[in-house]
Amino acid sequence: MDPIEFTRFVKEEALRIGFASAGVTTPDAPPHLDIYREWIAAGRHGEMGYLANPDSVQRRASPGELLPGCRSILVLAAPYDPPRLDPDSPRVAAYAVGQDYHEVLLEKIRVLVRAVEEKLGAAVCHRVYVDTGPILERELAQRAGLGWIGKNTCLIDPHRGSYLFLAEVLLDLPLAPDAPFLDDRCGTCTRCLDACPTHCILPERTIDATRCISYLTIETKNGINPELRGDVGPWLFGCDVCQEVCPWNVRFSPSSGDAQFSPRPFLDPPVLESFLALKADEYPTRLSHSPLQRARRRGLVRNAAVVA
């Protein structure tokens, strides 16, 4: 089958299933790997030691090693709803108020792979990542033409903004690669840098994770740095500030239309007292299939105490 024609089929299927955009790139080494290595060397990853694991760094340097015979990487983007702004409520990052996006996107990709296999009449060797594995997904998305990496480090689609989930499908199929998105449409804007409560955004499109509210409320297993507690503000889990002020999100960011990403009852809106009193026997039920499980009960109660 003609690679261009087949690539068109794959992309059309991805859009039909519910992805907002799809692009293709090659499994070549990422051009910004030195920046990642310098970021690790500076300790900007904090307690996320898995990011500095030598095997992990090597796999990010050679994404083709993740799948023997890899010939193409299909990069997919799925929108989620912009945050609902309620000045009287504590906050949970917009991506986390609905069902666990890992589960939702993995199921969509399973449907897509089945469609590809039916089209070919044969099994397809593939490997899927949804914000999980040793892969520089925003760099791959930029190389696949989906957008550019903004100053706030988010992948920004010029037609949809940055409220997007990313997923990657490594394939042993020769799909036609897209041209990379080379424009930097942030221009001279510094709204995200100016608005960040902890001033964690660094040059070269990186952040100091140890100062980022998302890291502090999700990844750190110890107490939140006393010097930064006052900057956490209303955030119980994650942070959207650098996206909320981005002009590309103010202008675009339509509703995803996917009910699976709508707020769960426990989070519509979040109630501080409910988090402070979150009991061990309630936690699994209230937050089943939720991204909030990553912080565990201990972290969520800690965060609620800081917000209070």
Side-chain angles (χ1 to χ4, degrees), residues 104-263:
V104 175
L105 298 189
L106 284 171
E107 180 54 35
K108 291 180 184 296
I109 293 171
R110 290 189 190 102
V111 174
L112 176 59
V113 171
R114 284 198 297 268
V116 171
E117 291 180 332
E118 289 176 5
K119 183 74 171 178
L120 291 174
V124 173
C125 185
H126 66 283
R127 189 160 190 175
V128 177
Y129 290 101
V130 179
D131 191 26
T132 53
I135 197 164
L136 298 177
E137 61 176 8
R138 283 165 290 187
E139 168 129 11
L140 290 171
Q142 183 269 331
R143 284 167 48 189
L146 300 191
W148 77 98
I149 300 173
K151 291 180 181 178
N152 62 1
T153 77
C154 296
L155 192 283
I156 304 177
D157 181 320
H159 304 293
R160 298 178 181 84
S162 65
Y163 293 115
L164 297 167
F165 297 118
L166 296 177
E168 300 76 39
V169 186
L170 281 65
L171 297 159
D172 65 348
L173 302 174
L175 299 182
D178 289 284
F181 196 102
L182 299 178
D183 292 347
D184 177 8
R185 299 192 184 179
C186 288
T188 60
C189 179
T190 60
R191 293 187 192 182
C192 58
L193 286 81
D194 300 336
C196 177
T198 61
H199 306 290
C200 72
I201 303 175
L202 304 174
E204 298 184 315
R205 316 295 159 113
T206 63
I207 62 171
D208 181 349
T210 65
R211 297 184 61 84
C212 176
I213 292 174
S214 287
Y215 168 88
L216 295 172
T217 57
I218 301 173
E219 299 295 340
T220 183
K221 301 302 183 288
N222 300 314
I224 294 176
N225 184 341
E227 296 180 2
L228 299 175
R229 288 178 189 170
D231 296 319
V232 170
W235 293 101
L236 288 168
F237 183 95
C239 179
D240 283 327
V241 170
C242 65
Q243 296 194 86
E244 290 172 353
V245 301
C246 177
W248 292 95
N249 285 329
V250 173
R251 182 177 179 184
F252 297 111
S253 296
S255 172
S256 71
D258 192 330
Q260 295 177 101
F261 297 140
S262 297

